[in-house]
């Protein structure tokens, strides 16, 4: 098993430089977190792909920079705003296809809103995104995100029922913890729909997001649970850079996983 890293770990370093840092650390799998619309242009995306290919790195997934807009512009009630912004997701899916990435990661709608969004409308809008992804050969996935509708297991179960075989999930360890869920409660319920995983560590109650190897999270149980569910996806380290020497911490996390027998 090879574990990758997300370029988001190096934010606010420019995306192409962040990818080069991931490559320099010896990771052979990466997630690209785009940070602005100009980075979706073909020339820029092809430059990222060239760098990845020349260094034997597989880009697994793409994270839209517009996640913060999804609540209002994609999963909002104003149809014209949706019509105006949906093209941005066509661009992200096309960029993912150019990179050879399998997945596009969606945050979705906030959990608490002035005007509550009916689940049925949410699922309708998400299916629209799924269909856009299919045109590019990219799987659009719902991530569990703290403070968003997707933080709740019950919501994800309703979404799974509504979308059927089109429901795919990105599981994020830290987001589950921040939402107040035992990560293994989420895993046990959604393990058959999870296609991509964001890794981090913790030493609760002190810190809920640490570099892997710096806390006490049971990674062996995580990998075993998904392996028993015949998981075919990959794992990507996603931590936040504030207060960290990210390069050093990712190097240590890579060493931590490389030295663990259950990873081999």
């Amino acid at each position: 098993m090879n574990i990758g890293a997300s370029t988001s770990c190096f934010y606010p370093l420019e995306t192409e430089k962040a990818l080069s840092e991931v490559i320099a650390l010896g990771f052979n799998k990466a997630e690209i977190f785009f940070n602005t619309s100009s980075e979706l242009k073909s020339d820029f995306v092809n430059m990222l792909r060239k760098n990845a290919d020349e260094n034997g790195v597989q880009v697994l997934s793409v994270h839209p920079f517009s996640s913060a807009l999804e609540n209002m512009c994609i999963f909002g009630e104003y149809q014209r705003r949706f019509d105006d912004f949906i093209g941005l997701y066509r661009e992200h899916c096309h960029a993912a296809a150019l990179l050879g990435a399998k997945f596009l990661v969606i945050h979705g709608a906030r959990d608490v809103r002035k005007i509550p969004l009916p689940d049925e409308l949410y699922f309708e809008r998400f299916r629209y995104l799924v269909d856009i992804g299919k045109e590019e050969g990219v799987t659009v996935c719902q991530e569990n995100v703290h403070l968003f509708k997707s933080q709740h297991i019950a919501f994800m179960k309703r979404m799974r029922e509504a979308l059927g075989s089109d429901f795919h999930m990105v599981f994020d360890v830290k987001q589950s913890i921040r939402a107040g869920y035992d990560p293994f409660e989420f895993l046990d319920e959604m393990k058959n729909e999870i296609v991509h995983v964001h890794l981090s560590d913790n030493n609760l109650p002190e810190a809920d997001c640490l570099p892997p190897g710096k806390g006490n999270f049971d990674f062996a149980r995580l990998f075993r649970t998904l392996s028993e569910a015949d998981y075919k996806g990959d794992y990507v380290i996603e931590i936040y850079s504030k207060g960290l020497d990210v390069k050093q911490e990712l190097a240590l996390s890579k060493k931590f996983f490389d030295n663990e027998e259950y990873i081999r």
Side-chain angles (χ1 to χ4, degrees), residues 151-167:
Q151 72 177 340
H152 299 294
I153 293 176
F155 175 80
M156 297 293 263
K157 289 171 68 175
R158 293 194 296 274
M159 188 172 180
R160 177 176 61 190
E161 182 177 357
L163 296 182
S165 61
D166 284 332
F167 175 74

Side-chain angles (χ1 to χ4, degrees), residues 89-90 93-94 97 102 104 126-140 163-168:
Y89 286 79
R90 294 186 186 279
C93 285
H94 184 62
K102 302 175 185 177
L104 184 78
F126 198 92
R127 189 179 292 280
Y128 198 102
L129 293 174
V130 168
D131 289 342
I132 290 173
K134 286 181 178 180
E135 294 173 6
E136 296 282 0
V138 173
T139 300
V140 176
L163 296 182
S165 61
D166 284 332
F167 175 74
H168 299 91

Side-chain angles (χ1 to χ4, degrees), residues 86-133:
I86 194 64
L88 190 57
Y89 286 79
R90 294 186 186 279
E91 292 183 62
H92 275 98
C93 285
H94 184 62
L98 290 177
L99 288 166
K102 302 175 185 177
F103 307 118
L104 184 78
V105 184
I106 300 297
H107 282 187
R110 301 278 294 188
D111 189 29
V112 178
R113 299 161 57 117
K114 183 181 294 186
I115 302 175
L117 185 76
D119 285 351
E120 294 74 16
L121 179 56
Y122 187 102
F123 303 150
E124 177 186 322
R125 293 285 176 79
F126 198 92
R127 189 179 292 280
Y128 198 102
L129 293 174
V130 168
D131 289 342
I132 290 173

Side-chain angles (χ1 to χ4, degrees), residues 32-82:
I32 299 293
F33 198 120
F34 286 110
N35 287 296
T36 188
S37 57
S38 63
E39 295 178 356
L40 299 175
K41 303 302 182 185
S42 294
D43 287 349
F44 185 88
V45 176
N46 288 333
M47 178 264 291
L48 295 178
R49 177 67 184 265
K50 183 174 184 290
N51 191 13
D53 287 350
E54 288 178 349
N55 289 280
V57 172
Q58 179 188 7
V59 178
L60 302 169
S61 53
V62 162
H63 208 307
F65 73 88
S66 48
S67 294
L69 301 175
E70 288 168 4
N71 180 64
M72 181 176 67
C73 298
I74 301 300
F75 297 97
E77 299 80 4
Y78 199 69
Q79 181 65 38
R80 187 179 298 159
R81 188 185 299 133
F82 171 83

Side-chain angles (χ1 to χ4, degrees), residues 4 6 19 24 27 30 69 82 87 101 120 122 138-139 152 160 166 208 212 214 232 234 243-244 253 257:
S6 174
L19 177 60
F27 290 100
L69 301 175
F82 171 83
E120 294 74 16
Y122 187 102
V138 173
T139 300
H152 299 294
R160 177 176 61 190
D166 284 332
D208 58 18
K214 289 297 184 73
K232 303 298 186 185
D234 292 287
L244 295 178
S253 292
F257 284 127

